[in-house]
Amino acid sequence: MCWNTRTFTATAGGGAFCNGQKIHPSKTDKVEQSLLVTGFGYDHDDAWITNIELFKEFTDISRGVRRLGAAAVDMCHVALGVAEAYWEYRLKPWDMAAGVLIVEEAGGAVTRMDGGKFCVFDRSVLVSNGAVHAKLLERIAPATEKLKSKGIDFSLWYKPESYVTDL
């Protein structure tokens, strides 16, 4: 499958597919053997600097970190097993909704970058194959907590009154 001819689909409870074939994330359980992906927002502020630091740190200990530029596609690569994880600060719901569903339906893990339960209106996301999730959070969660202590806003972007979350 050439990268530009892939069509990813998923329905809640129905599994995830690429060009009609069921997909699953990789089983890689070591960060040192993982290919990671991230993205950078437009504002060069504390969150951007923190992500640059995470990028550097993970580049040194993993097989590499890529910046591809499309959150939903990056998440699909995790669901397909091409990459083991993707993280980013300050995405919008429309950047994450489809990719998160595809990762979840493929059998991957999804949380906020502080390790909390993810909601599509959150301001950060970490998706992974599940096997490296806790190991990534050991480094990502403290960096995110440090941003919170500086006053960086990680409240929900927006939450419709009728939208039910566990938050």
Side-chain angles (χ1 to χ4, degrees):
M1 285 186 281
C2 183
W3 69 269
N4 65 351
T5 60
R6 294 179 180 150
T7 301
F8 293 92
T9 58
T11 57
F17 301 85
C18 179
N19 292 348
Q21 296 179 353
K22 193 159 182 62
I23 59 173
H24 301 284
S26 79
K27 294 181 184 343
T28 301
D29 62 355
K30 292 179 177 54
V31 175
E32 298 80 7
Q33 296 174 350
S34 296
L35 178 63
L36 308 173
V37 184
T38 190
F40 297 94
Y42 299 107
D43 296 329
H44 291 204
D45 58 4
D46 284 341
W48 188 88
I49 291 166
T50 296
N51 205 29
I52 287 287
E53 291 168 0
L54 289 168
F55 181 93
K56 288 181 196 175
E57 184 174 351
F58 285 121
T59 297
D60 288 343
I61 62 170
S62 70
R63 291 185 106 170
V65 182
R66 304 292 184 261
R67 180 184 187 270
L68 304 174
V73 175
D74 294 341
M75 291 183 214
C76 287
H77 289 147
V78 172
L80 186 60
V82 172
E84 278 65 49
Y86 166 81
W87 77 89
E88 189 166 353
Y89 292 112
R90 295 200 173 138
L91 291 169
K92 301 287 194 301
W94 49 86
D95 295 318
M96 300 182 285
V100 163
L101 175 66
I102 290 167
V103 169
E104 288 175 337
E105 288 300 318
V110 180
T111 64
R112 296 188 317 239
M113 288 174 64
D114 63 3
K117 183 173 172 48
F118 178 81
C119 162
V120 74
F121 299 106
D122 279 314
R123 294 181 189 244
S124 72
V125 67
L126 168 62
V127 303
S128 77
N129 64 358
V132 296
H133 207 88
K135 293 171 188 159
L136 294 172
L137 278 172
E138 288 174 8
R139 298 171 189 271
I140 293 173
T144 303
E145 291 300 332
K146 186 175 176 186
L147 285 172
K148 288 180 182 180
S149 72
K150 290 181 174 184
I152 302 293
D153 185 10
F154 282 99
S155 63
L156 299 178
W157 282 111
Y158 167 78
K159 182 179 163 243
E161 287 183 31
S162 61
Y163 187 83
V164 180
T165 69
D166 294 334
L167 304 175

